[in-house]
């Protein structure tokens, strides 16, 4: 598996010297770990931006979402399309998690396989994610660490409702490298409460794993950056990646609830960046002093995050001037919360 970026594809150039788009379809998924079927706010939203137009769906269960996504990927493969599919939850955990679980093999894949074997997610969304969090804690520490957060009424010796502060004295970190780049990113250990993403990881990774391993396209599917390195190889026809829709401001005119507007906004931003010839660079971010093997083997990266988002000072707002994505609907604000409207990492 390459550590540095592999050679970039060299598509034929379109008019004006702009490279032809790398992808034909862009799928953005806002995931949910709800325990019952749910639509509307805080549920699963999927947007596909494809050559034949835009499709937005709001499946009530994770099973329905997986089947719909498989259908979209199947249609794309039948039409000879190349697809990037972004999911709004972390694809990895802080370095060292697989080792602490006693797993062998490539860390990211060992963790994916382990979680897929532990999670029980029924057709009606009922799942055992809090019990899984407790079991993983038992294996990592023999205590209620590192996962935390659970609903009222759930009691387990190995999972506490409140933050444990255990990372202060433990080498297993609270955040990944990429999480420290994104102000507002939540730790993947947090399983409940406002902004939590840990439950989405536990219920979402088995779905991405199943889609990536589908025998109809497994030979040409890749998980970025785990199976691609920090680049985009030619043989990847379906590319799965984690995204963070909150990195961009949603366009309110794209509909309520906010989740719907977010997936539509991000799918359009991806498509516009690809038309402008800049999307390819997102797959080869400059990671500073971070160890590329740590990112490629264990932690993953968030597609679209190419520079850290700094906290704004009370007396001086941080600024970084970038070129807006050409071809984007002018009604879509490409800025980021906490940054000037014309500034976008």
């Amino acid at each position: 598996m390459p550590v540095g970026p592999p050679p970039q594809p060299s598509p034929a150039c379109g008019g004006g010297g702009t490279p032809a788009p790398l992808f034909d379809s862009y799928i953005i998924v806002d995931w949910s770990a709800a325990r019952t079927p749910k639509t509307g706010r805080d549920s699963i939203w999927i947007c596909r931006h494809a050559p034949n137009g835009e499709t937005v769906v709001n499946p009530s269960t994770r099973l329905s979402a997986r089947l719909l996504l498989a259908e979209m990927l199947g249609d794309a493969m039948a039409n000879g399309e190349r697809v990037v599919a972004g999911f709004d939850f972390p694809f990895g955990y802080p370095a060292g998690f697989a080792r602490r679980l006693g797993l062998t093999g490539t860390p990211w894949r060992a963790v994916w396989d382990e979680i897929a074997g532990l999670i029980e997610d029924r057709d009606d969304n009922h799942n055992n994610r809090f019990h899984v969090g407790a079991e993983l804690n038992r294996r990592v520490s023999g205590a209620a660490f590192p996962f935390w957060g659970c609903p009222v009424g759930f009691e387990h010796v190995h999972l506490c409702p409140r933050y444990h502060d255990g990372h202060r004295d433990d080498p297993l970190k609270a955040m990944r490298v990429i999480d420290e780049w994104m102000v507002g990113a939540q730790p993947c250990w947090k399983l409940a409460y406002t902004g939590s993403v840990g439950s989405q990881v536990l219920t979402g990774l088995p779905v991405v794993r199943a889609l990536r391993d589908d025998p109809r396209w497994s030979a040409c599917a890749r998980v970025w950056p785990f199976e691609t390195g920090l680049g985009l190889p030619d043989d990847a026809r379906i590319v799965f990646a984690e995204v963070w829709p909150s990195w961009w401001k949603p366009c309110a005119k794209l509909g309520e609830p906010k989740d719907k507007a977010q997936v539509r906004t991000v799918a359009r931003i991806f498509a516009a960046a690809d038309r402008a010839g800049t999307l390819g660079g997102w797959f080869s971010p400059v990671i500073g002093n971070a160890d590329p093997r740590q990112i490629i083997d264990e932690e993953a990266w968030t597609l679209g995050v190419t520079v850290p988002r700094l906290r704004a000072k009370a007396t001086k707002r941080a600024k970084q001037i970038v070129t807006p994505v050409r071809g984007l609907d002018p009604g879509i604000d490409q800025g980021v919360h906490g940054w000037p409207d014309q500034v976008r990492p």
Side-chain angles (χ1 to χ4, degrees), residues 32-39 42-43 60-62 123-127 129:
S32 169
R35 289 177 59 90
T36 58
K38 182 176 174 61
T39 57
D42 296 330
S43 63
S60 62
T61 67
R62 284 176 291 279
D123 296 355
D124 63 356
N125 268 1
H126 183 84
N127 63 81
R129 67 186 188 274

Side-chain angles (χ1 to χ4, degrees), residues 29-117:
V29 183
D30 185 350
W31 200 245
S32 169
R35 289 177 59 90
T36 58
K38 182 176 174 61
T39 57
R41 185 169 178 260
D42 296 330
S43 63
I44 297 173
W45 286 89
I46 302 170
C47 178
R48 175 180 61 180
H49 193 89
N52 62 349
E54 180 186 78
T55 302
V56 181
V57 289
N58 181 209
S60 62
T61 67
R62 284 176 291 279
L63 174 61
S64 296
R66 178 171 63 81
L67 295 176
L68 281 167
L69 287 166
E71 181 180 351
M72 290 179 179
L73 295 175
D75 289 345
M77 292 299 95
N79 293 330
E81 298 173 8
R82 194 181 195 195
V83 186
V84 58
F87 293 77
D88 76 330
F89 52 79
F91 275 15
Y93 288 89
F97 182 49
R99 179 180 54 81
R100 293 286 290 272
L101 286 173
L103 303 178
T104 59
T106 305
W108 75 267
R109 183 69 201 210
V111 169
W112 281 33
D113 291 345
E114 191 69 14
I115 290 174

Side-chain angles (χ1 to χ4, degrees), residues 34 61 153 156 267 291 330:
T61 67
H156 199 291
D291 179 2

